[in-house]
Short mmCIF file of all heavy atoms in Angstrom, two decimals:
data_model
loop_
_atom_site.label_atom_id
_atom_site.label_comp_id
_atom_site.label_asym_id
_atom_site.label_seq_id
_atom_site.Cartn_x
_atom_site.Cartn_y
_atom_site.Cartn_z
N ALA A 1 1.73 -4.36 -5.30
CA ALA A 1 1.81 -4.13 -3.84
C ALA A 1 2.65 -5.26 -3.27
O ALA A 1 2.19 -6.04 -2.42
CB ALA A 1 0.44 -4.05 -3.21
N ARG A 2 3.88 -5.38 -3.76
CA ARG A 2 4.76 -6.48 -3.36
C ARG A 2 6.06 -5.87 -2.79
O ARG A 2 6.60 -4.89 -3.32
CB ARG A 2 5.11 -7.37 -4.56
CG ARG A 2 3.94 -8.06 -5.17
CD ARG A 2 4.37 -8.89 -6.41
NE ARG A 2 5.37 -9.89 -6.05
CZ ARG A 2 5.11 -11.15 -5.63
NH1 ARG A 2 3.85 -11.53 -5.49
NH2 ARG A 2 6.09 -11.98 -5.34
N GLU A 3 6.59 -6.54 -1.76
CA GLU A 3 7.86 -6.06 -1.18
C GLU A 3 9.01 -6.24 -2.16
O GLU A 3 9.96 -5.45 -2.14
CB GLU A 3 8.11 -6.80 0.13
CG GLU A 3 7.18 -6.48 1.25
CD GLU A 3 7.58 -7.10 2.58
OE1 GLU A 3 8.78 -7.41 2.72
OE2 GLU A 3 6.70 -7.30 3.43
N ASP A 4 8.93 -7.30 -3.02
CA ASP A 4 10.05 -7.57 -3.89
C ASP A 4 9.98 -6.76 -5.19
O ASP A 4 10.91 -6.77 -5.97
CB ASP A 4 10.15 -9.07 -4.22
CG ASP A 4 8.87 -9.60 -4.86
OD1 ASP A 4 7.85 -8.86 -4.92
OD2 ASP A 4 8.88 -10.76 -5.32
N ALA A 5 8.90 -6.03 -5.40
CA ALA A 5 8.75 -5.20 -6.59
C ALA A 5 7.77 -4.09 -6.26
O ALA A 5 6.67 -4.02 -6.77
CB ALA A 5 8.26 -6.00 -7.77
N PRO A 6 8.18 -3.19 -5.37
CA PRO A 6 7.20 -2.21 -4.85
C PRO A 6 6.83 -1.13 -5.85
O PRO A 6 7.68 -0.52 -6.51
CB PRO A 6 7.98 -1.60 -3.63
CG PRO A 6 9.41 -1.75 -3.97
CD PRO A 6 9.49 -3.05 -4.74
N GLY A 7 5.54 -0.91 -5.98
CA GLY A 7 5.00 0.23 -6.70
C GLY A 7 4.93 1.43 -5.76
O GLY A 7 4.59 1.29 -4.58
N PHE A 8 5.26 2.62 -6.27
CA PHE A 8 5.26 3.83 -5.49
C PHE A 8 4.09 4.71 -5.88
O PHE A 8 3.72 4.79 -7.07
CB PHE A 8 6.54 4.62 -5.66
CG PHE A 8 7.72 4.01 -4.96
CD1 PHE A 8 8.43 2.98 -5.51
CD2 PHE A 8 8.13 4.50 -3.69
CE1 PHE A 8 9.53 2.42 -4.88
CE2 PHE A 8 9.22 3.95 -3.05
CZ PHE A 8 9.93 2.89 -3.65
N ILE A 9 3.54 5.42 -4.91
CA ILE A 9 2.49 6.44 -5.17
C ILE A 9 3.19 7.73 -5.55
O ILE A 9 4.12 8.16 -4.83
CB ILE A 9 1.59 6.59 -3.97
CG1 ILE A 9 0.86 5.27 -3.68
CG2 ILE A 9 0.57 7.73 -4.18
CD1 ILE A 9 0.26 5.18 -2.30
N ILE A 10 2.80 8.35 -6.62
CA ILE A 10 3.56 9.51 -7.10
C ILE A 10 2.75 10.78 -7.11
O ILE A 10 3.08 11.76 -7.78
CB ILE A 10 4.12 9.23 -8.51
CG1 ILE A 10 3.02 8.92 -9.55
CG2 ILE A 10 5.12 8.08 -8.49
CD1 ILE A 10 3.55 8.73 -10.99
N ASN A 11 1.65 10.84 -6.35
CA ASN A 11 0.85 12.08 -6.26
C ASN A 11 0.17 12.15 -4.87
O ASN A 11 0.07 11.17 -4.16
CB ASN A 11 -0.19 12.15 -7.35
CG ASN A 11 -1.32 11.13 -7.16
OD1 ASN A 11 -1.13 10.06 -6.62
ND2 ASN A 11 -2.50 11.49 -7.65
N GLY A 12 -0.22 13.35 -4.51
CA GLY A 12 -1.12 13.54 -3.37
C GLY A 12 -0.52 13.33 -2.02
O GLY A 12 0.68 13.32 -1.77
N GLU A 13 -1.42 13.05 -1.08
CA GLU A 13 -1.11 12.91 0.35
C GLU A 13 -0.02 11.88 0.59
O GLU A 13 0.84 12.02 1.47
CB GLU A 13 -2.39 12.51 1.12
CG GLU A 13 -2.19 12.27 2.57
CD GLU A 13 -2.08 13.53 3.40
OE1 GLU A 13 -2.39 14.61 2.88
OE2 GLU A 13 -1.69 13.43 4.59
N TYR A 14 -0.06 10.76 -0.14
CA TYR A 14 0.86 9.65 0.13
C TYR A 14 2.00 9.59 -0.90
O TYR A 14 2.63 8.55 -1.05
CB TYR A 14 0.10 8.34 0.15
CG TYR A 14 -1.01 8.28 1.19
CD1 TYR A 14 -2.35 8.24 0.83
CD2 TYR A 14 -0.69 8.33 2.55
CE1 TYR A 14 -3.37 8.21 1.77
CE2 TYR A 14 -1.68 8.29 3.51
CZ TYR A 14 -3.03 8.23 3.11
OH TYR A 14 -4.00 8.21 4.06
N MET A 15 2.28 10.70 -1.58
CA MET A 15 3.34 10.68 -2.58
C MET A 15 4.64 10.20 -1.98
O MET A 15 5.08 10.64 -0.92
CB MET A 15 3.52 12.10 -3.14
CG MET A 15 4.53 12.15 -4.27
SD MET A 15 4.52 13.72 -5.20
CE MET A 15 4.95 14.86 -3.88
N GLY A 16 5.30 9.23 -2.67
CA GLY A 16 6.55 8.66 -2.21
C GLY A 16 6.38 7.40 -1.43
O GLY A 16 7.38 6.69 -1.17
N ALA A 17 5.16 7.08 -0.99
CA ALA A 17 4.94 5.87 -0.19
C ALA A 17 4.91 4.65 -1.10
O ALA A 17 4.49 4.71 -2.28
CB ALA A 17 3.61 5.97 0.57
N MET A 18 5.38 3.54 -0.58
CA MET A 18 5.25 2.25 -1.28
C MET A 18 3.84 1.71 -1.04
O MET A 18 3.34 1.71 0.07
CB MET A 18 6.30 1.28 -0.78
CG MET A 18 7.70 1.62 -1.22
SD MET A 18 8.97 0.41 -0.77
CE MET A 18 9.17 0.81 0.97
N LEU A 19 3.21 1.24 -2.13
CA LEU A 19 1.82 0.82 -2.04
C LEU A 19 1.64 -0.30 -1.00
O LEU A 19 0.66 -0.25 -0.23
CB LEU A 19 1.31 0.36 -3.41
CG LEU A 19 -0.17 -0.02 -3.49
CD1 LEU A 19 -1.08 1.15 -3.09
CD2 LEU A 19 -0.51 -0.55 -4.88
N HIS A 20 2.54 -1.27 -0.95
CA HIS A 20 2.32 -2.38 -0.04
C HIS A 20 2.39 -1.91 1.40
O HIS A 20 1.69 -2.46 2.27
CB HIS A 20 3.33 -3.51 -0.32
CG HIS A 20 4.72 -3.22 0.10
ND1 HIS A 20 5.61 -2.55 -0.73
CD2 HIS A 20 5.41 -3.55 1.23
CE1 HIS A 20 6.78 -2.46 -0.10
NE2 HIS A 20 6.69 -3.04 1.06
N GLU A 21 3.23 -0.93 1.71
CA GLU A 21 3.32 -0.43 3.08
C GLU A 21 2.06 0.35 3.46
O GLU A 21 1.55 0.25 4.57
CB GLU A 21 4.56 0.43 3.25
CG GLU A 21 5.86 -0.39 3.21
CD GLU A 21 7.07 0.45 3.54
OE1 GLU A 21 6.96 1.70 3.55
OE2 GLU A 21 8.16 -0.13 3.78
N LEU A 22 1.54 1.15 2.52
CA LEU A 22 0.31 1.90 2.79
C LEU A 22 -0.84 0.95 3.04
O LEU A 22 -1.63 1.18 3.97
CB LEU A 22 0.02 2.83 1.60
CG LEU A 22 -1.26 3.65 1.74
CD1 LEU A 22 -1.14 4.64 2.90
CD2 LEU A 22 -1.60 4.36 0.44
N LEU A 23 -0.93 -0.11 2.23
CA LEU A 23 -2.08 -1.03 2.38
C LEU A 23 -1.93 -1.85 3.66
O LEU A 23 -2.93 -2.26 4.23
CB LEU A 23 -2.17 -1.92 1.15
CG LEU A 23 -2.46 -1.17 -0.17
CD1 LEU A 23 -2.60 -2.15 -1.31
CD2 LEU A 23 -3.72 -0.30 -0.03
N ARG A 24 -0.72 -2.13 4.06
CA ARG A 24 -0.54 -2.82 5.34
C ARG A 24 -1.02 -1.98 6.49
O ARG A 24 -1.61 -2.46 7.44
CB ARG A 24 0.95 -3.17 5.51
CG ARG A 24 1.24 -4.08 6.71
CD ARG A 24 2.71 -4.39 6.79
NE ARG A 24 3.17 -5.08 5.59
CZ ARG A 24 4.39 -4.94 5.08
NH1 ARG A 24 5.27 -4.09 5.63
NH2 ARG A 24 4.75 -5.59 4.02
N GLU A 25 -0.80 -0.66 6.39
CA GLU A 25 -1.23 0.26 7.43
C GLU A 25 -2.75 0.55 7.36
O GLU A 25 -3.40 0.72 8.37
CB GLU A 25 -0.48 1.60 7.30
CG GLU A 25 -0.83 2.60 8.39
CD GLU A 25 0.00 3.86 8.24
OE1 GLU A 25 0.98 3.90 7.42
OE2 GLU A 25 -0.28 4.85 8.98
N HIS A 26 -3.31 0.51 6.10
CA HIS A 26 -4.69 0.81 5.90
C HIS A 26 -5.34 -0.29 5.04
O HIS A 26 -5.68 -0.05 3.89
CB HIS A 26 -4.91 2.15 5.22
CG HIS A 26 -4.45 3.36 6.06
ND1 HIS A 26 -5.13 3.77 7.16
CD2 HIS A 26 -3.38 4.15 5.92
CE1 HIS A 26 -4.53 4.79 7.67
NE2 HIS A 26 -3.46 5.06 6.96
N PRO A 27 -5.54 -1.47 5.60
CA PRO A 27 -6.10 -2.57 4.78
C PRO A 27 -7.51 -2.31 4.30
O PRO A 27 -7.93 -2.92 3.31
CB PRO A 27 -6.06 -3.77 5.77
CG PRO A 27 -6.02 -3.17 7.12
CD PRO A 27 -5.23 -1.91 6.98
N GLU A 28 -8.23 -1.41 4.95
CA GLU A 28 -9.57 -1.10 4.50
C GLU A 28 -9.58 -0.43 3.12
O GLU A 28 -10.63 -0.40 2.45
CB GLU A 28 -10.28 -0.17 5.53
CG GLU A 28 -9.77 1.30 5.57
CD GLU A 28 -8.48 1.49 6.33
OE1 GLU A 28 -7.92 0.50 6.88
OE2 GLU A 28 -8.04 2.66 6.46
N MET A 29 -8.41 0.05 2.65
CA MET A 29 -8.36 0.59 1.31
C MET A 29 -8.52 -0.50 0.26
O MET A 29 -8.89 -0.20 -0.88
CB MET A 29 -7.03 1.31 1.08
CG MET A 29 -6.89 2.63 1.82
SD MET A 29 -5.31 3.41 1.33
CE MET A 29 -5.44 5.01 2.19
N ILE A 30 -8.23 -1.74 0.63
CA ILE A 30 -8.42 -2.85 -0.31
C ILE A 30 -9.87 -3.26 -0.32
O ILE A 30 -10.56 -3.27 -1.35
CB ILE A 30 -7.50 -4.03 0.07
CG1 ILE A 30 -6.05 -3.63 -0.01
CG2 ILE A 30 -7.77 -5.25 -0.83
CD1 ILE A 30 -5.06 -4.67 0.48
N ALA A 31 -10.35 -3.63 0.84
CA ALA A 31 -11.76 -4.05 1.03
C ALA A 31 -11.96 -4.38 2.50
O ALA A 31 -10.98 -4.68 3.22
CB ALA A 31 -12.13 -5.27 0.17
N ALA A 32 -13.19 -4.38 2.94
CA ALA A 32 -13.46 -4.77 4.33
C ALA A 32 -13.03 -6.21 4.56
O ALA A 32 -13.27 -7.07 3.69
CB ALA A 32 -14.96 -4.60 4.63
N GLY A 33 -12.36 -6.46 5.64
CA GLY A 33 -11.91 -7.82 5.93
C GLY A 33 -10.54 -8.15 5.41
O GLY A 33 -10.02 -9.25 5.64
N SER A 34 -9.91 -7.21 4.69
CA SER A 34 -8.58 -7.48 4.13
C SER A 34 -7.52 -7.48 5.26
O SER A 34 -7.63 -6.77 6.23
CB SER A 34 -8.21 -6.38 3.12
OG SER A 34 -6.84 -6.47 2.73
N ASP A 35 -6.51 -8.29 5.05
CA ASP A 35 -5.36 -8.32 5.97
C ASP A 35 -4.25 -7.37 5.54
O ASP A 35 -3.16 -7.36 6.11
CB ASP A 35 -4.81 -9.73 6.17
CG ASP A 35 -4.26 -10.32 4.85
OD1 ASP A 35 -4.25 -9.61 3.81
OD2 ASP A 35 -3.81 -11.48 4.90
N GLY A 36 -4.50 -6.60 4.47
CA GLY A 36 -3.50 -5.65 3.97
C GLY A 36 -2.68 -6.20 2.81
O GLY A 36 -1.82 -5.49 2.26
N SER A 37 -2.94 -7.45 2.46
CA SER A 37 -2.24 -8.06 1.33
C SER A 37 -3.10 -7.93 0.07
O SER A 37 -4.23 -8.47 0.02
CB SER A 37 -1.96 -9.54 1.60
OG SER A 37 -1.43 -10.19 0.47
N CYS A 38 -2.60 -7.21 -0.91
CA CYS A 38 -3.41 -7.00 -2.14
C CYS A 38 -3.47 -8.29 -2.95
O CYS A 38 -2.42 -8.88 -3.27
CB CYS A 38 -2.79 -5.90 -3.00
SG CYS A 38 -3.77 -5.48 -4.44
N PRO A 39 -4.66 -8.78 -3.30
CA PRO A 39 -4.77 -10.08 -3.97
C PRO A 39 -4.40 -10.06 -5.42
O PRO A 39 -4.27 -11.12 -6.02
CB PRO A 39 -6.26 -10.45 -3.80
CG PRO A 39 -6.79 -9.48 -2.81
CD PRO A 39 -5.96 -8.22 -2.93
#
């Protein structure tokens, strides 16, 4: 989930999205209290 080496989602609702952008929009997908940056 890095801007300099983005992983892409290749299935489902978010197919084609870059993981880091999705997590920035939905930080709760990482854990409660996340700022959207995957550790």
Side-chain angles (χ1 to χ4, degrees):
R2 297 179 59 89
E3 291 186 24
D4 59 351
F8 286 82
I9 298 163
I10 59 175
N11 70 329
E13 177 78 15
Y14 301 113
M15 185 168 60
M18 289 184 284
L19 183 61
H20 72 276
E21 290 187 347
L22 179 65
L23 297 182
R24 189 179 298 148
E25 182 177 352
H26 294 290
E28 73 280 1
M29 288 185 175
I30 298 174
S34 170
D35 63 1
S37 172
C38 184

